[in-house]
Amino acid sequence: MQMERPLKVLLLSAEVVPFAKTGGLADVAGALPKALKELGHDVRVCMPHYERIDPQRFGLEWVLEPFAVPMDSATEPVGVLKGTIGDAIPVYMTDNERYFGREGIYGYPDDGERFVLYCRAALEMLKHLDWQPDVIHCNDWHTGIVPNWLQTTFRADPFFAATASVYTIHNLQYQGIFGQRILEVAGIDEYGFIHRPDMADLSNVVDLMARGILFADIVSTVSERYAQEILTPEYGERLDPLLRDRREHLLGVLNGVDYDEYNPATDKYLARNYDVNSLDLRAENKLALQRAAGLPERADVPLFGMISRLVDQKGFDILAQAFDNIMATVDAQFVILGTGDPHYHNVFGDFAQRYPQKLALFLTFNAPLAQRIYAGSDMFLMPSRFEPCGLGQLISLHYGSIPVVRSTGGLADTVQDFDPSTGEGNGFAFAQYDGMHLFTTVVRAAEDYRYRQTWRELQRRGMLADYSWHASARKYVDLYHKALAVHAAEAGHA
Ligand code: ADP
């Protein structure tokens, strides 16, 4: 049992499993609260109510009738619905027809206004609910304005006097950059731009990610390696000077996997359930996947799976460089599931036409199919250019699909290159970001796949490793206490 006092934590995230998801952020926001609750904390979540979230399907109920939320020089009416995850953990959803009565999650010209409204509504909601969190845990640029407000607009507000902020960077590349107008919308134009001679290109834009980093009591990111990497110009996405300034308050906590959601022994989407002691059964999932993908049903051929946003970050440029070489050299199959940049839709669409017996491409977002790929592939490919944490490799380990990765960020922290001479390692990894190193690593993996006993050992090792949320949730609790200490110390100085 945990001896510390239970904390009240509000987690803000633009996406939360099972309500809305485009990537790993949703997995984290849906799973971390459950693990915190198991440790005895009172954790609640707040996200926008997108039109696609069907109140009936998720059993949502109204908890607050529309109230006036300050926005620009006027107000917007926002109501609050409530769903739950895990053991009755409330997920509040801010509802506003004008900004969120739309099909998509992101990608609108007024995304700045949309997420500022959601954040402001979340803070105002707390007053209506009369629930004062110890910590507000913000995630990614959509919530970056909140630490800023807590240090400005709400600085003298007794309701938030004891509330500390944590700001977690899930992906530094997406910063939420807008014009000066957004400061007016947020009601903080009097505090102006961030002026720094070493970050001159930020002096006439509003960068919501930068504001989260600058104003939060504690900043974190989703692996220790990425926490180090973003201090450098190579990975810092132009914010490295600011991150270096805040390095004393910057920590890395690795994401976990929700093993209730991702468990090959109970996964209802699989042709055949299996566990570490019944790995022979896994073969049925491979054949079912080959059938569904229209590939030859061959048990012996190494099958590489990939489930990913189709964007530069994920290494599709070096995979495209290497692909003809791989096809000419390796007897292997590929199943790729993803959506994103139209350029990659075309490039890999062409490959699929040229290699119909070896590559199956699904240009959609499809969670059941994703789970079938984790269970039916032999290897799981993640050649990322950068990777804050990465969940794909952790899920694939648990499903007995061996990760083949570029060593960067969370991939470097979780996948160790297999060394056949010592038997150590849990996957295949390369350091240099180019098509040639990717190619040779794919060749190595396909070669080692032929040694059935060794491969089985690799699978068992991956499946037995514990990347659940238990350890990481404890680290977040430590981080919340640190944030409270920083906040209290600063309040003392104010
Ligand atoms: P990121 O958050 O950068 O997209 P992660 O590896 O952290 O990458 O998380 C990706 C998550 O999204 C995983 O759970 C993965 O299975 C899922 N995912 C990505 N693309 C798809 C897709 N097209 N269909 C279904 N699930 C997907």
Side-chain angles (χ1 to χ4, degrees):
M1 275 310 280
Q2 169 122 343
M3 300 302 289
E4 294 151 318
R5 84 179 163 99
L7 293 174
K8 286 190 279 180
V9 180
L10 178 71
L11 186 129
L12 298 180
S13 172
E15 40 182 289
V16 181
V17 162
F19 307 107
K21 165 168 170 173
T22 69
L25 170 61
D27 287 314
V28 174
L32 171 61
K34 295 193 215 168
L36 290 169
K37 173 102 193 236
E38 276 170 26
L39 293 175
H41 301 285
D42 180 0
V43 53
R44 306 184 189 192
V45 181
C46 182
M47 68 182 292
H49 178 230
Y50 306 104
E51 192 164 86
R52 63 167 68 182
I53 307 175
D54 178 3
Q56 251 182 336
R57 178 179 160 212
F58 290 108
L60 307 185
E61 56 183 63
W62 286 99
V63 287
L64 291 176
E65 289 300 316
F67 53 90
V69 175
M71 189 176 182
D72 215 334
S73 48
T75 63
E76 265 300 309
V78 178
V80 177
L81 288 144
K82 192 185 86 171
T84 57
I85 53 173
D87 179 14
I89 297 166
V91 179
Y92 300 117
M93 299 187 194
T94 57
D95 181 84
N96 171 275
E97 177 58 31
R98 181 163 160 209
Y99 288 99
F100 289 101
R102 310 176 191 179
E103 184 48 32
I105 299 179
Y106 316 116
Y108 298 99
D110 58 351
D111 274 357
E113 283 91 334
R114 294 171 73 231
F115 288 99
V116 163
L117 175 66
Y118 145 67
C119 287
R120 186 62 185 254
L123 295 187
E124 301 294 335
M125 168 193 86
L126 294 172
K127 293 186 175 183
H128 288 274
L129 295 172
D130 195 23
W131 189 71
Q132 281 174 288
D134 298 298
V135 176
I136 300 184
H137 184 171
C138 307
N139 294 280
D140 272 353
W141 74 260
H142 327 99
T143 60
I145 195 72
V146 170
N148 193 166
W149 276 330
L150 292 176
Q151 301 267 9
T152 53
T153 313
F154 294 101
R155 193 174 180 86
D157 186 329
F159 189 87
F160 292 109
T163 301
S165 62
V166 168
Y167 181 74
T168 299
I169 302 165
H170 295 260
N171 192 329
L172 194 60
Q173 193 176 41
Y174 305 103
Q175 297 184 359
I177 294 179
F178 302 98
Q180 196 267 343
R181 261 285 296 153
I182 206 71
L183 293 180
E184 289 168 24
V185 171
I188 51 170
D189 43 325
E190 63 188 288
Y191 303 101
F193 292 122
I194 301 172
H195 288 294
R196 291 180 57 124
D198 55 354
M199 287 168 44
D201 45 352
L202 286 191
S203 62
N204 57 0
V205 292
V206 179
D207 183 321
L208 292 177
M209 170 72 77
R211 285 178 183 259
I213 294 168
L214 180 64
F215 289 107
D217 292 310
I218 288 287
V219 179
S220 79
T221 186
V222 287
S223 69
E224 288 182 16
R225 178 71 68 106
Y226 193 59
Q228 293 301 317
E229 287 172 343
I230 57 179
L231 301 176
T232 66
E234 187 185 351
Y235 289 96
E237 304 284 351
R238 297 171 307 118
L239 298 186
D240 47 295
L242 178 60
L243 287 156
R244 284 195 294 276
D245 278 3
R246 298 234 57 204
R247 70 192 310 163
E248 300 290 309
H249 296 94
L250 171 67
L251 293 124
V253 180
L254 199 69
N255 289 334
V257 173
D258 185 344
Y259 289 147
D260 294 337
E261 293 271 330
Y262 296 107
N263 180 355
T266 55
D267 189 327
K268 60 180 186 290
Y269 297 120
L270 305 192
R272 187 65 188 251
N273 290 116
Y274 61 95
D275 63 20
V276 68
N277 296 314
S278 57
L279 267 165
D280 284 338
L281 301 177
R282 199 176 180 277
E284 291 182 40
N285 293 302
K286 178 167 171 180
L287 290 176
L289 179 62
Q290 288 169 325
R291 205 172 310 132
L295 295 172
E297 292 175 41
R298 290 175 53 197
D300 61 317
V301 68
L303 195 165
F304 290 80
M306 203 167 171
I307 303 163
S308 176
R309 292 181 293 115
L310 248 61
V311 294
D312 283 336
Q313 175 200 338
K314 299 294 184 176
F316 286 98
D317 52 349
I318 59 171
L319 182 59
Q321 276 169 26
F323 208 72
D324 282 326
N325 237 348
I326 294 172
M327 292 288 105
T329 320
V330 191
D331 183 18
Q333 295 178 344
F334 284 75
V335 176
I336 299 178
L337 167 64
T339 97
D341 186 338
H343 167 68
Y344 292 121
H345 286 217
N346 292 334
V347 171
F348 283 87
D350 285 349
F351 283 134
Q353 281 192 340
R354 284 172 47 210
Y355 304 108
Q357 300 290 303
K358 291 183 141 197
L359 167 63
L361 183 65
F362 296 92
L363 297 173
T364 58
F365 192 96
N366 183 332
L369 177 57
Q371 281 161 241
R372 291 184 193 116
I373 296 174
Y374 287 120
S377 57
D378 300 302
M379 296 88 164
F380 190 79
L381 196 54
M382 280 181 86
S384 304
R385 188 166 67 78
F386 69 92
E387 194 58 75
C389 173
L391 288 173
Q393 84 280 17
L394 301 180
I395 301 170
S396 79
L397 281 170
H398 200 59
Y399 276 68
S401 180
I402 305 304
V404 177
V405 308
R406 172 165 181 253
S407 258
T408 182
L411 295 171
D413 283 351
T414 55
V415 178
Q416 291 80 42
D417 194 38
F418 175 62
D419 179 346
S421 61
T422 62
E424 279 165 20
N426 62 352
F428 297 87
F430 60 101
Q432 199 167 319
Y433 187 75
D434 61 36
M436 192 39 114
H437 286 83
L438 168 58
F439 167 70
T440 54
T441 310
V442 164
V443 170
R444 256 192 320 124
E447 177 64 17
D448 285 336
Y449 175 73
R450 294 168 51 222
Y451 298 89
R452 309 304 308 165
Q453 262 323 101
T454 316
W455 196 263
R456 187 53 67 88
E457 231 357 87
L458 264 178
Q459 289 180 301
R460 289 174 55 82
R461 190 172 304 155
M463 292 179 78
L464 291 170
D466 182 5
Y467 286 107
S468 67
W469 269 102
H470 298 299
S472 300
R474 285 183 195 283
K475 291 188 183 159
Y476 271 106
V477 173
D478 290 344
L479 204 130
Y480 296 151
H481 282 290
K482 278 200 182 85
L484 283 164
V486 170
H487 187 73
E490 282 185 0
H493 291 146

